[in-house]
Amino acid sequence: MEERVQVCLFDMSRGQVEGQELDKILFFFPSNCPIPSQLSVVGLSEGLITFTRIFSPLTPCELMEAERHTHIFYQCEPDLWIVMVVEKVKDAEETIREGALRTVLKDAHNLFTFFYGSIRALLESHPRGDVARSCLHAFFPDYLSDFLTGKKFRIPTISESLTNRGTVQLFIPQRETLLEIQSLQEHLKSWFGGGKVRHVMTLFYNMLISTTLSPADASVLFLYATVRMLPSTHSRAPRSRSSSRRENPPGDPSNTLGFGKLRNLFTNLTTSQTAESMASPQTPRAYDLSVDDQGSKSSVPRPLQPEAWWKDADGFLCTYAWGSETGRVKVLPNVRLQGSEETLNLCVYQCKSVTLVMLVPKSGGSELISNLQQQLLEKAALRIQKIEEKLVKEWPGSNAYHVAGYRYLYSDLNNKVSKFSPANKVATLSMDSLAALNRIRAEIDLEMGRSERSSSLQDKELELCVRTKQNAWVIVTTRGGHELYTVQEKASNTLMYACDAVDKLSRRYFNGIFSSD
Amino acid sequence: MASPGDEGSRPNGPNGSLGSFSERNKREHSNPEIISALYEELFGEEDCERPCYLPDHREEDSRDAEQDGTVAREDKEKGGGDGEVEGESKKVKGTSAELAGSQMSNELDAGDFQEDLGARSETGHDDGIQDRDQEISLRNGASAEASFTERSVAVDGEFSSDRGLDALPSPTSSQGGTSGYMAGSGSSSASTSSISGIEAANEQDTEGTGSRKEERGARVPGKRHTEEDDSHPSWRRHKKHFFILSNAGKPIYSRYGDEHKLAGFSATLQAIMSFVENSGDTVHLVRAGDHQIVFLVRGPLYLVCISSTDEPSEVLRGQLELLHGQLILILTKAVEKCFLKNSKFDMRPLLGGMDVVLSSLIHAFSWEPATFLKAYTCLPLPYGARQAACGALQDMTDSGALFSVLMCGNKVISLVGSRKTSLHPHDLLLLSNFISSSDSFRTSESFSPVCLPRYNSAAFMYAYVQYLNKDTCLILLTADPNDFFHLKECRAQIEIVLRESNVLREVNNSIERGGLRIEDMPGSEVGPSESGSTRGDRASDDGASTSAPEAVPGAGGPAGLWHFIYRSTYLDQFIASEFSPPFTTRSAQKRLYRAYQKLHASMHNAGGGGPHKMQYRRDEDHVLLSWRTSDFELYAAFDPLAEKNSAIFVCNRICQWIRDMEAEVFLLGATPFNW
């Protein structure tokens, strides 16, 4: 119980018989937590869920706030719940925002289904639950390891109040370049008579340039690309201004440790230390074989295994995270898009700073992939290289999105896109401003949640200007699914002046979406 | 009016007659002439008798509660016999919770209230009140400490004396014409009120509550939906539930539904809370969609609010604290000792008819800014008139009263504390709610023990309460239980001074005039400069630089001002403008009220970054502006299309306006709350 954070995933429909409550638990972190404590977390959670259903049948328990702990609830699938228990600390810097933590859980589930399909489907196909459990155990420790520095669990706190999890960061190049990229993407999709390459996503370093995926799928793939594929393949990322690995504080060794290391194909010695410390005894390794209900053996992939990606000489990214079949044959990473049963393979090509992710149906077999790879190298590699050169020229540098005088976060919630001040600039804000901002965001989260649930079709429009105790201005405007948070630390500003400044920012950088005319 | 269903469950017969006693009492009580006649009779003849406190009797009583009670009441005692009836009948409280009369008689069955009910039954027994009856009932009612002791002991089932509680008189031993009656039923003065409240006030003098009721949209006081329980969909749909339960899971109070039927529900709440407690933690809040469940643990009492209103959880928590304060106001903290002694202690009987007080407080949560501002409001009065009132009260306070308060409805006319002590705004709010929600205070002068939770939650004070006219109420607080006659004299003198100095007439004038109206704000037609000039004007430290007002034609005041609340930090007082169009409907007013609540909570949140200095907020409903300095807090609501700069300008002007009127709208010279 010394752990500051506990995460539990359980199925309320299982273990109904007295004495079999343990069967409810599909995953628990930390794994060395005594069984009675695990059961007590589940018991309390179930009790609260059942109780709150009396009054709020559609949206049962979301949060329990106690003197010493905060419990965040997320119902990821019907009857399947992820509960995160966070111990409160006195340190104001560690103040959490419920919304940020829930996004951590949502991201986890989105990634999980991206790789394994829905948990319910796994449970239905293997009612004993062992397959679901081994998948969860293969996935969650790796996912959570990103939040661990050493042995300490670092959860999103106020220092992240100007970032938005679960969103994509865009780099929009000049119009011509963008058109060229888009035409390349369409070109790729038209190969093999069309329809074979289902989707393409183009990344420049760890920013999205263009994709044919839906915003929801794009944000999941983008997350995966930025936390796993790219960090281990780019020899040098640009000075991070939009790194989604913000959970690791700057200077954290695990952030830089394995960058650029080419991994030997089949070594299994690469599990990072952090993941090792997390891994529970029952955590399967990458090649772990688990026996499913039919008694046949199948491997459980570990897609989030750290540093499991590397770049082959031909420019294609490879991974052993999905394990390997006999000898030399690579197991291709496969994923599922939302609302689709089809399994797709990932084919990733990298040319310096540009990464192309292509999704092709698994049914096409490895032949399709090798054809695609060959064709890409023959017909498109040069084009990609030219695009890369253009992008590098156009790239304005790591402080591209910095606007002097402002610290801001802009989110387009419909397209799951966000843009924000560079982390090193945000770090110059005083703790008090960040704390005030964090609090205001929590208030807005609540309000947005409320208006989402209410049947009103209109998007909530809100303008909020707060002068904090230390005379900073925190200004929030929301309109039509767009949100803009700004912090200005000019004590001399008046309300009018601060609002005008935000208006200017909105007009100049956000097409005036937030300006009222 | 005992319900017939209850009759069967009572083995000992006399209860039926008790039921009718209370009915008779009601009638009696509702007739002021009889009351005053009785009063004359009583005090004319027994001048020397201390009506409210008899130390000797207390000693006796506490020696052996049960026996002594019976002895004291001799053959007239009816309750004593019932008191011996064991717990069985206690459970059968029936569905008659709405009928205080029958409820009381049920409690009598249980032996919980033997003393008080003894007194009550006696008074009711013979319509013509005999001296002897009075004596006994006075003794019972007035030596309230003993009676409380006995009650708690009786409830425990161990009939030994409990001196640990001897600081605890019965909640309200009223004094006056029907002193005998009052002493008994007044032990929870609300018992009478709940009768009137539930029976739609038609038996009671309806005028008494008139003005407030009208003001609040003809709310029927007391508990509603008593027939429901947690299995009713309609019960689940109520927007805001309040529960009080013991840490053993016994229901004590529920805003909606019958507590007895909610025993299972309340056990669930208790289970959740104790589950978390067992892990060394305390649950504060559970959120599910639009619903928030807020928990508050106060000693052996659990208070829970389940709300789907859009109020911040801190606000709901504050409301639970007030609710707890209201309990303490009536029972003192000593009630906790009962739970320490016996975790199964059943507190419900002690609360008898307190439902109406709690319901009225809960209702105030959605219309009374004092509940979240931690401040009280004053009736606007000419400076001279208020000075005269203060002078009159000051003289009396010098002669013994701890606090003297002259109130009109929920507004303070004058408040004086002795030795520079001051009354916490919450204490004042709770006291005022207690008095205004209990109709018995309106009909006669009363002397009632109350506890001011913020002043001293462990001890009783005594409140002398007398309405000087329909709305104006004088409250004199003393620590001395023997002070009744002294305070009665004080009241007479104060009344004379108030009438002579025309204060009461000024009060009536003020009521007729109503409060501040934004339309009356001076100078709204004058604008210093045109808009836009403010861009460079950054002189103002607090960001509220002046700028042009734009006289917006149509509703409200200048620049689309709709409403405001100004709170003076040093005085712990606030002034709110009257509702003007468009706040003509109750729901619009409530929406604004809730928006203020939220804004206040957001401004004051003790969390990260500390309290804010200023906040401007625009949504579909309003523009809200809040401004906090070391001297004051201002909350103002504008038309959603109002211009920022003119709104700021108007806010500055409001502050100026209030400062100009300070002497009239505030009680100046009041010591701010300072402990």
Side-chain angles (χ1 to χ4, degrees), chain A residues 248-297:
Chain A
N248 288 319
D252 169 29
S254 74
N255 220 357
T256 48
L257 199 66
F259 278 14
K261 283 189 188 167
L262 290 183
R263 294 286 166 195
N264 192 332
L265 233 137
F266 296 114
T267 40
N268 192 20
L269 306 166
T270 49
T271 326
S272 80
Q273 215 181 347
T274 47
E276 203 85 81
S277 68
M278 297 262 323
S280 61
Q282 67 252 64
T283 305
R285 314 281 276 214
Y287 310 113
D288 245 8
L289 299 177
S290 67
V291 183
D292 66 15
D293 288 348
Q294 281 76 43
S296 67
K297 294 199 168 183

Side-chain angles (χ1 to χ4, degrees), chain B residues 47 135 142 190 332 369 421 427 471 498 584 675:
Chain B
D47 238 350
E135 225 180 289
T332 82
T421 49
D427 281 347
D471 302 299
L498 292 181
T584 45
W675 66 77

Side-chain angles (χ1 to χ4, degrees), chain A residues 323-474:
Chain A
S324 71
E325 279 163 12
T326 49
R328 273 196 53 82
V329 188
K330 286 178 274 189
V331 177
L332 293 162
N334 49 58
V335 298
R336 289 170 186 80
L337 298 184
Q338 279 179 22
S340 144
E341 288 302 304
E342 193 185 26
T343 312
L344 300 172
N345 283 136
L346 290 179
C347 176
V348 190
Y349 177 73
Q350 196 171 63
C351 172
K352 293 179 192 162
S353 59
V354 169
T355 311
L356 240 71
V357 185
M358 287 152 286
L359 292 94
V360 296
K362 195 183 180 187
S363 50
S366 54
E367 227 169 87
L368 177 65
I369 296 277
S370 48
N371 282 342
L372 175 66
Q373 291 183 343
Q374 203 180 345
Q375 205 161 336
L376 191 100
L377 289 174
E378 283 167 11
K379 294 185 185 168
L382 205 64
R383 223 174 136 182
I384 296 170
Q385 201 180 329
K386 276 184 185 160
I387 288 173
E388 203 270 342
E389 281 161 13
K390 275 189 183 175
L391 284 173
V392 169
K393 259 184 221 159
E394 285 170 24
W395 171 237
S398 62
N399 278 344
Y401 294 147
H402 174 56
V403 183
Y406 303 89
R407 304 292 179 267
Y408 70 93
L409 161 68
Y410 159 80
S411 312
D412 173 350
L413 301 177
N414 298 326
N415 293 315
K416 292 178 172 284
V417 170
S418 69
K419 186 171 163 182
F420 37 79
S421 296
N424 57 332
K425 296 290 179 186
V426 173
T428 64
L429 288 178
S430 75
M431 267 309 152
D432 288 315
S433 304
L434 284 170
L437 171 71
N438 199 46
R439 213 177 84 199
I440 291 164
R441 279 196 76 180
E443 284 171 20
I444 303 272
D445 285 351
L446 276 181
E447 234 162 279
M448 290 300 163
R450 207 177 166 88
S451 65
E452 259 171 44
R453 282 186 297 272
S454 73
S455 49
S456 72
L457 295 169
Q458 268 202 325
D459 276 311
K460 181 109 179 152
E461 196 180 319
L462 180 73
E463 184 180 356
L464 182 66
C465 314
V466 173
R467 189 176 184 80
T468 69
K469 200 179 168 194
Q470 282 73 27
N471 289 324
W473 282 101
V474 176

Side-chain angles (χ1 to χ4, degrees), chain A residues 62 65 98 447 467 500, chain B residues 282 285 287 535 613 617:
Chain A
E62 294 172 309
E65 193 90 56
E98 175 202 350
E447 234 162 279
R467 189 176 184 80
D500 280 349
Chain B
T282 317
L285 166 73
R287 188 147 37 69
R535 299 277 155 97
K613 284 191 170 165
R617 193 194 156 91

Side-chain angles (χ1 to χ4, degrees), chain B residues 21-22 24-30 35 38 116 119-120 123-124 129 137-138 174 177-187 191-193 195 204 440:
Chain B
F21 289 155
S22 17
R24 221 174 296 159
N25 283 340
K26 261 186 288 169
R27 258 185 278 127
E28 201 176 274
H29 184 220
S30 64
I35 290 169
L38 291 173
D116 287 329
R120 205 172 300 152
T123 6
I129 294 182
S137 51
L138 280 174
S174 306
T178 50
S179 59
Y181 166 74
M182 293 293 285
S185 73
S187 65
S191 65
T192 44
S193 338
I195 295 165
Q204 286 284 339
S440 56

Side-chain angles (χ1 to χ4, degrees), chain B residues 299-537:
Chain B
L301 295 178
Y302 288 167
L303 296 99
V304 183
C305 172
I306 301 181
S307 162
S308 60
T309 60
D310 192 13
E311 291 161 278
S313 61
E314 311 89 49
V315 170
L316 297 173
R317 200 174 161 78
Q319 295 177 356
L320 288 179
E321 268 163 12
L322 281 173
L323 207 59
H324 178 254
Q326 190 77 73
L327 278 185
I328 295 299
L329 184 121
I330 297 171
L331 297 172
T332 82
K333 242 184 165 168
V335 74
E336 293 178 2
K337 288 184 190 157
C338 302
F339 285 100
L340 281 183
K341 282 217 153 51
N342 175 8
S343 61
K344 287 182 189 142
F345 175 64
D346 186 2
M347 194 172 142
R348 259 202 74 62
L350 290 184
L351 295 176
M354 235 185 90
D355 286 355
V356 73
V357 182
L358 298 179
S359 301
S360 147
L361 179 66
I362 290 168
H363 184 67
F365 292 154
S366 53
W367 67 268
E368 168 62 274
T371 56
F372 67 88
L373 282 178
K374 216 167 99 182
Y376 59 90
T377 190
C378 291
L379 185 76
L381 272 188
Y383 181 67
R386 200 184 312 276
Q387 283 302 99
C390 286
L393 295 188
Q394 186 64 55
D395 291 346
M396 299 310 125
T397 311
D398 293 343
S399 76
L402 273 175
F403 296 106
S404 314
V405 192
L406 189 63
M407 293 193 83
C408 178
N410 57 323
K411 294 180 174 167
V412 170
I413 296 168
S414 176
L415 187 164
V416 176
S418 73
R419 293 189 297 271
K420 299 221 167 182
T421 49
S422 57
L423 206 51
H424 190 285
H426 279 174
D427 281 347
L428 188 63
L429 169 74
L430 296 171
L431 183 65
S432 142
N433 176 62
F434 174 58
I435 290 170
S436 63
S437 61
S438 318
D439 286 344
S440 56
F441 285 111
R442 293 181 187 277
T443 46
S444 60
E445 68 180 333
S446 317
F447 191 63
S448 158
V450 293
C451 165
L452 298 182
R454 299 280 180 141
Y455 185 74
N456 180 357
S457 62
F460 268 130
M461 292 178 130
Y462 298 83
Y464 174 93
V465 183
Q466 167 77 316
Y467 275 80
L468 303 181
N469 62 26
K470 200 179 98 193
D471 302 299
T472 315
C473 172
L474 178 68
I475 307 162
L476 303 173
L477 291 162
T478 175
D480 182 356
N482 301 321
D483 245 5
F484 173 74
F485 287 109
H486 171 60
L487 294 181
K488 186 176 157 61
E489 278 164 29
C490 290
R491 189 264 304 157
Q493 285 178 40
I494 292 173
E495 207 170 350
I496 291 169
V497 176
L498 292 181
R499 285 190 204 288
E500 277 175 356
S501 55
N502 280 336
V503 171
L504 292 180
R505 193 190 301 156
E506 288 292 353
V507 167
N508 283 336
N509 290 345
S510 170
I511 295 172
E512 273 169 33
R513 271 198 309 273
L516 297 190
R517 272 184 299 270
I518 46 167
E519 294 84 355
D520 299 341
M521 198 164 98
S524 53
E525 66 286 346
V526 191
S529 58
E530 54 189 68
S531 70
S533 69
T534 49
R535 299 277 155 97
D537 178 9

Side-chain angles (χ1 to χ4, degrees), chain B residues 133-369:
Chain B
D133 284 335
Q134 290 158 12
E135 225 180 289
I136 293 164
S137 51
L138 280 174
R139 190 198 311 146
N140 279 295
S143 61
E145 298 164 28
S147 78
F148 186 91
T149 311
E150 287 155 16
R151 243 183 290 150
S152 54
V153 171
V155 169
D156 285 4
E158 21 166 298
F159 291 96
S160 62
S161 98
D162 180 358
R163 284 168 193 276
L165 274 170
D166 53 13
L168 274 180
S170 71
T172 319
S173 60
S174 306
Q175 185 54 38
T178 50
S179 59
Y181 166 74
M182 293 293 285
S185 73
S187 65
S188 54
S189 67
S191 65
T192 44
S193 338
S194 68
I195 295 165
S196 69
I198 299 306
E199 296 185 351
N202 46 5
E203 287 185 49
Q204 286 284 339
D205 151 39
T206 39
E207 273 185 8
T209 49
S211 64
R212 269 177 80 108
K213 263 188 229 158
E214 282 155 26
E215 197 179 307
R216 289 184 259 147
R219 192 183 79 95
V220 180
K223 194 158 156 171
R224 287 169 296 166
H225 308 287
T226 40
E227 71 293 345
E228 298 174 350
D229 61 51
D230 56 328
S231 62
H232 285 65
S234 58
W235 184 86
R236 297 177 177 200
R237 276 198 299 270
H238 291 303
K239 289 200 92 174
K240 205 166 168 188
H241 288 272
F242 282 95
F243 305 95
I244 305 175
L245 48 140
S246 75
N247 56 5
K250 255 192 203 269
I252 294 169
Y253 171 79
S254 164
R255 184 187 188 190
Y256 300 111
D258 177 358
E259 286 85 2
H260 300 285
K261 289 191 202 160
L262 290 171
F265 182 81
S266 135
T268 315
L269 283 176
Q270 188 268 345
I272 291 173
M273 295 177 79
S274 60
F275 193 96
V276 179
E277 247 166 47
N278 289 343
S279 68
D281 212 340
T282 317
V283 58
H284 290 325
L285 166 73
V286 169
R287 188 147 37 69
D290 288 346
H291 279 80
Q292 295 188 91
I293 310 176
V294 180
F295 300 85
L296 182 71
V297 180
R298 282 289 173 269
L301 295 178
Y302 288 167
L303 296 99
V304 183
C305 172
I306 301 181
S307 162
S308 60
T309 60
D310 192 13
E311 291 161 278
S313 61
E314 311 89 49
V315 170
L316 297 173
R317 200 174 161 78
Q319 295 177 356
L320 288 179
E321 268 163 12
L322 281 173
L323 207 59
H324 178 254
Q326 190 77 73
L327 278 185
I328 295 299
L329 184 121
I330 297 171
L331 297 172
T332 82
K333 242 184 165 168
V335 74
E336 293 178 2
K337 288 184 190 157
C338 302
F339 285 100
L340 281 183
K341 282 217 153 51
N342 175 8
S343 61
K344 287 182 189 142
F345 175 64
D346 186 2
M347 194 172 142
R348 259 202 74 62
L350 290 184
L351 295 176
M354 235 185 90
D355 286 355
V356 73
V357 182
L358 298 179
S359 301
S360 147
L361 179 66
I362 290 168
H363 184 67
F365 292 154
S366 53
W367 67 268
E368 168 62 274

